[in-house]
Amino acid sequence: MSRPAIIESPPAADQRGRTGGTVLVRHTDLLAFAAGVFSVRGVPPARAMQAARALCYGDLTGMDSHGLVNLTRLYLPLFDEGRVNPAATPQIVADRGAAVRLDADRGLGLWVARDAMVLATTRAAEFGVGVVAVRNATHLGCAGYHAL
């Protein structure tokens, strides 16, 4: 059973005089919604779901400033303004074994960061340490999510 994510609304009255409150949304529904929005913008489905998980992590952990609120405030404008490449293909541009520089091709940081972390752990398994520097990506959301 999926536990609901809690999204707090500001207590101020809206245009119709209604006051905000807590809205409960099942985590699976929240993920499906966010992934659907990214998919409609051209992000491949697996990456869209990865981005949705990273984004919704903020709401689940109480870091509302890094949660779904950023979908309309930050991420959708990146798509609208052409500052993100929904079909990005990150490339390793420098490889020193344990240390790698990755060019994200203007990829959505929400999924690029996870891929970079996987690469870092792969390199750490081989060399004892793994460091990946990412350039040319958008905001990555809650950094802690990518360490999970």
Side-chain angles (χ1 to χ4, degrees):
M1 176 177 232
S2 175
R3 75 174 200 221
I6 299 174
I7 301 175
E8 293 289 337
S9 303
D14 66 13
Q15 294 174 342
R16 295 183 180 165
R18 298 176 297 199
T19 57
T22 300
V23 177
L24 297 177
V25 179
R26 291 192 190 283
H27 183 235
T28 53
D29 294 340
L30 200 60
L31 287 176
F33 170 76
V37 170
F38 288 131
S39 291
V40 165
R41 297 297 178 119
V43 178
R47 287 180 172 174
M49 182 53 77
Q50 193 171 351
R53 284 189 185 108
L55 187 61
C56 294
Y57 176 83
D59 295 304
L60 286 176
T61 58
M63 292 178 273
D64 300 333
S65 64
H66 284 66
L68 200 62
V69 67
N70 282 324
L71 187 61
T72 57
R73 186 186 71 77
L74 176 64
Y75 296 107
L76 292 183
L78 290 172
F79 286 96
D80 294 343
E81 296 163 9
R83 294 188 294 147
V84 65
N85 177 1
T89 306
Q91 299 290 322
I92 294 174
V93 294
D95 190 338
R96 302 291 182 262
V100 173
R101 184 171 54 219
L102 185 69
D103 186 294
D105 188 27
R106 293 184 305 115
L108 194 59
L110 292 166
W111 65 260
V112 169
R114 186 69 176 171
D115 287 4
M117 185 60 100
V118 169
L119 179 57
T121 58
T122 300
R123 294 304 175 102
E126 184 177 352
F127 298 102
V129 65
V131 179
V132 177
V134 178
R135 69 176 188 195
N136 204 11
T138 67
H139 187 261
L140 58 85
C142 292
Y145 169 78
H146 305 290
L148 298 176

